[in-house]
Amino acid sequence: MKHYAETVAFLGQWGRFQQVVFFLLCASIVANGFGAFTLVFLTDTPRHHCRVPDVNLTEDWRNFTIPFEVVDGKQELSRCSRYRLDVIRNLSAQGYVPSRDVSLTDLEQEGCVDGWVYSTDIYQSTVVSEFDLVCGDEWKQPFTSTVYFVGSLMGSFLSGKLSDRFGRKPVLFVTMALQAVCTFLQSYSNSWLLFTILLFISGLGQVSNYVAGLVLGAEILTGHVRVLYSSLGTCFGFAVGYMMLPVFAYFIRDWRNLLLALAVVGAVYLPFWWLIPESPRWLLSHGRVEEAEAIVRKAAKWNKCQAPMEIFSKTPLKEKYGVFDLLRTSNIRITTLILSFVAFTITTGYFALCYNTPQLHANPYLSCFISAVTELPAYISCWLALRFWPRRLSLIAALLVGAVSLYSIQLVPNDLPHLSLSLEMLGKYGATGTISRLGSCPFVFLGIYFKFLPYIILGTVSLLAALSTFFMPESFQKPLPETIEQMQNSKRYYFGTKRGVYKFELYNGIPSTKKQLVGYVIQIDFILNS
């Protein structure tokens, strides 16, 4: 059977059918951009201090019930302690005046036994203020984000297996429904534990429908439209949703209502089921030729073109491969391991920066919106780089930009928050250009206790990833294998030198000259003479 793109070439690349698939799938990803960073606002920690019950105190003592502490060079009310209430009530009854008759530094302190008072200047309520995730329970706040990313990580693995087994379309819409339902139920959570469990399931569904939608579009579309969809269309859909988030959060400052809005946004896309088809490529891979032909013939009607009598010939199914086949041979194994390390580095840095951005400016809504807008030029740069620049050079440049920016943040004085925000956006710009969805956020805990340690670690890992990219095969303007079988059956050619032998991996075509040989190289292994 001919290559799929050649077989369906009679449809054209940008007819009505492709336009509907392109824009509806891009629109379905808007909800992912909206939901991926909702925790930025849901789990933000408002300013807070210990609650003081209504007891008989003089005005002077009531104003000095909470001790002051220095945070980042500024004096603030203590968040986790107060002066012992029975002591100051006794001093107040005896007529003593604080700081004049009594030294406050000598007074005994106690924890917030009566709870906390949270500022409503920015948020009406958050998950943190609802369930008191502060002081002794402060670890629960970053742990909440980590649970979400663990769900996303599991979804990344499960979505591939499920979509290979049951199809791209069912996985896309079932996980969209799962995410919408879990988000709706989250808004009625009456405990942090229930909220976290539902968040895990929501994270699993969120990344699953993103991956399924990305693969579905990449398999239906062909030619330059396929590249446009994969590198720019889905990314812009995600960025639009990301930009919508701070706007919604600005006008909906209660965490429960914000989740309800997110659930509605997710549910809006479910009727797309009747407009988006299954992947003909997937159907063909499972021997369901008649169904694949029916979809292509429907596309031909939409595009007002004539389909041939027989579109796909029935051929025996090829051997199926699994994820472990990516590790069986040395050439594939090295590429897989390096790509996995680079993807982990990029996604960890990306999500860590996205979740930390609101902390760099007094207005978290503005910071989040700036972070979202930064993605647009990054995606455009990525698309242009894919068209005109060597792949390794593009990736190394992006990683180095991110690393230098992350190292520089710790050098910025506290009184220059705008510069810190600019450097963080530059670092995010580098990470966004190569973003993948297989990341988690393990460094959020470190920021609680060591402010700049996450930046140092992420910057170092980015440098290591840039270095490892030098060992990746260059694929720019070179023929690429489309299956594992093609990679494993690649022919080997040798070119001798005085120091040893260069072994070349070629995926198709036999070069007739030394110049062509160098031009077609995909991977080089240097073997020293013994």
Side-chain angles (χ1 to χ4, degrees):
M1 187 179 71
K2 293 190 299 182
H3 191 278
Y4 176 82
E6 297 176 357
T7 306
V8 300
F10 65 88
L11 292 175
Q13 293 188 11
W14 193 237
R16 181 187 174 193
F17 172 77
Q18 289 91 344
Q19 292 170 7
V20 170
V21 170
F22 185 98
F23 288 112
L24 288 186
L25 285 177
C26 289
S28 71
I29 295 175
V30 170
N32 293 86
F34 192 110
F37 304 108
T38 310
L39 288 179
V40 167
F41 301 104
L42 295 181
T43 62
D44 200 7
T45 304
R47 289 185 295 107
H48 56 277
H49 58 79
C50 292
R51 181 182 300 278
V52 179
D54 189 14
V55 295
N56 188 21
L57 293 174
T58 64
E59 189 66 26
D60 289 335
W61 278 107
R62 185 168 293 280
N63 293 335
F64 284 92
T65 305
I66 309 298
F68 283 89
E69 59 184 15
V70 178
V71 179
D72 294 332
K74 299 179 181 179
Q75 275 201 337
E76 296 182 359
L77 291 176
S78 175
R79 299 181 177 185
C80 299
S81 62
R82 70 184 187 190
Y83 295 118
R84 280 191 54 177
L85 192 59
D86 57 340
V87 173
I88 62 174
R89 184 167 51 188
N90 183 44
L91 294 172
S92 175
Q94 296 181 42
Y96 291 106
V97 177
S99 296
R100 188 191 71 181
D101 303 324
V102 178
S103 175
L104 296 177
T105 57
D106 296 334
L107 293 180
E108 186 178 353
Q109 298 183 15
E110 62 183 358
C112 300
V113 295
D114 295 303
W116 290 264
V117 175
Y118 295 93
S119 170
T120 57
D121 293 344
I122 299 177
Y123 308 103
Q124 183 178 342
S125 68
T126 69
V127 173
V128 173
S129 64
E130 181 82 12
F131 303 120
D132 291 331
L133 308 184
V134 293
C135 300
D137 288 333
E138 186 179 17
W139 63 272
K140 291 182 179 179
Q141 190 260 3
F143 182 78
T144 304
S145 301
T146 302
V147 167
Y148 175 79
F149 283 108
V150 171
S152 296
L153 182 61
M154 291 190 63
S156 300
F157 290 113
L158 292 176
S159 61
K161 282 289 185 181
L162 292 175
S163 62
D164 286 342
R165 176 71 183 277
F166 301 105
R168 319 307 192 197
K169 180 179 175 180
V171 171
L172 170 63
F173 284 94
V174 168
T175 53
M176 286 175 66
L178 177 67
Q179 184 184 358
V181 170
C182 286
T183 302
F184 176 80
L185 294 177
Q186 272 183 285
S187 65
Y188 292 96
S189 300
N190 57 7
S191 70
W192 172 77
L193 180 60
L194 177 59
F195 175 86
T196 305
I197 293 173
L198 291 171
L199 183 65
F200 173 84
I201 302 174
S202 179
L204 189 150
Q206 199 265 356
V207 74
S208 296
N209 62 63
Y210 181 94
V211 172
L214 178 62
V215 173
L216 179 59
E219 290 184 345
I220 293 177
L221 303 171
T222 60
H224 69 275
V225 177
R226 180 187 184 188
V227 175
L228 183 65
Y229 170 80
S230 302
S231 63
L232 203 60
T234 56
C235 297
F236 263 55
F238 186 87
V240 168
Y242 191 6
M243 288 188 291
M244 288 171 55
L245 172 61
V247 177
F248 273 65
Y250 180 82
F251 291 102
I252 307 174
R253 304 204 177 193
D254 174 75
W255 71 275
R256 295 184 186 273
N257 290 330
L258 182 59
L259 281 175
L260 286 175
L262 175 58
V264 171
V265 171
V268 164
Y269 300 103
L270 296 180
F272 289 3
W273 171 272
W274 289 275
L275 296 174
I276 298 176
E278 179 57 273
S279 165
R281 293 179 191 256
W282 179 84
L283 292 170
L284 291 172
S285 70
H286 285 70
R288 296 160 63 174
V289 179
E290 293 80 6
E291 295 176 61
E293 284 202 354
I295 292 174
V296 175
R297 293 190 187 280
K298 181 179 179 181
K301 291 182 179 179
W302 283 25
N303 290 358
K304 298 181 180 179
C305 60
Q306 184 65 40
M309 293 294 296
E310 181 183 73
I311 302 176
F312 303 110
S313 60
K314 295 183 179 180
T315 57
L317 295 179
K318 297 182 179 180
E319 179 184 356
K320 293 185 179 297
Y321 292 95
V323 65
F324 293 106
D325 289 290
L326 296 174
L327 304 174
R328 293 191 186 280
T329 59
S330 61
N331 56 329
I332 304 177
R333 181 168 56 249
I334 293 173
T335 300
T336 300
L337 293 176
I338 293 177
L339 279 175
S340 298
F341 173 64
V342 173
F344 173 79
T345 299
I346 293 169
T347 54
T348 301
Y350 173 83
F351 284 108
L353 292 175
C354 287
Y355 273 78
N356 187 64
T357 297
Q359 310 303 323
L360 296 178
H361 195 279
N363 189 331
Y365 305 103
L366 179 60
S367 297
C368 186
F369 185 78
I370 293 174
S371 177
V373 171
T374 303
E375 304 217 347
L376 298 181
Y379 290 138
I380 294 174
S381 300
C382 175
W383 175 62
L384 293 174
L386 287 173
R387 292 195 60 188
F388 302 111
W389 281 17
R391 305 289 188 253
R392 285 188 302 182
L393 177 61
S394 303
L395 182 56
I396 290 171
L399 289 168
L400 290 178
V401 167
V404 172
S405 302
L406 290 170
Y407 277 131
S408 302
I409 289 176
Q410 58 187 315
L411 305 177
V412 178
N414 292 329
D415 58 347
L416 295 177
H418 295 289
L419 180 56
S420 296
L421 182 62
S422 299
L423 288 173
E424 183 144 337
M425 290 303 97
L426 186 59
K428 182 171 177 288
Y429 175 92
T432 301
T434 49
I435 188 63
S436 167
R437 301 291 296 173
L438 292 178
S440 59
C441 200
F443 297 109
V444 288
F445 283 104
L446 299 177
I448 297 178
Y449 307 104
F450 309 99
K451 181 178 180 180
F452 296 112
L453 185 57
Y455 296 113
I456 296 173
I457 294 177
L458 291 172
T460 302
V461 174
S462 295
L463 286 178
L464 293 175
L467 179 63
S468 67
T469 304
F470 279 106
F471 299 94
M472 285 288 296
E474 180 56 69
S475 60
F476 181 60
Q477 294 183 346
K478 292 183 173 62
L480 295 177
E482 294 191 357
T483 65
I484 292 179
E485 184 180 14
Q486 291 180 13
M487 298 180 71
Q488 291 176 343
N489 294 333
S490 59
K491 298 180 179 180
R492 298 175 184 271
Y493 296 86
Y494 295 87
F495 175 69
T497 66
K498 293 182 179 180
R499 295 185 57 193
V501 177
Y502 285 101
K503 181 176 61 178
F504 297 92
E505 297 282 353
L506 301 175
Y507 291 117
N508 50 12
I510 299 177
S512 59
T513 65
K514 178 179 176 181
K515 183 176 180 180
Q516 289 179 354
L517 176 65
V518 175
Y520 280 151
V521 168
I522 298 298
Q523 180 175 333
I524 304 175
D525 294 323
F526 185 69
I527 309 173
L528 293 177
N529 288 328
S530 57

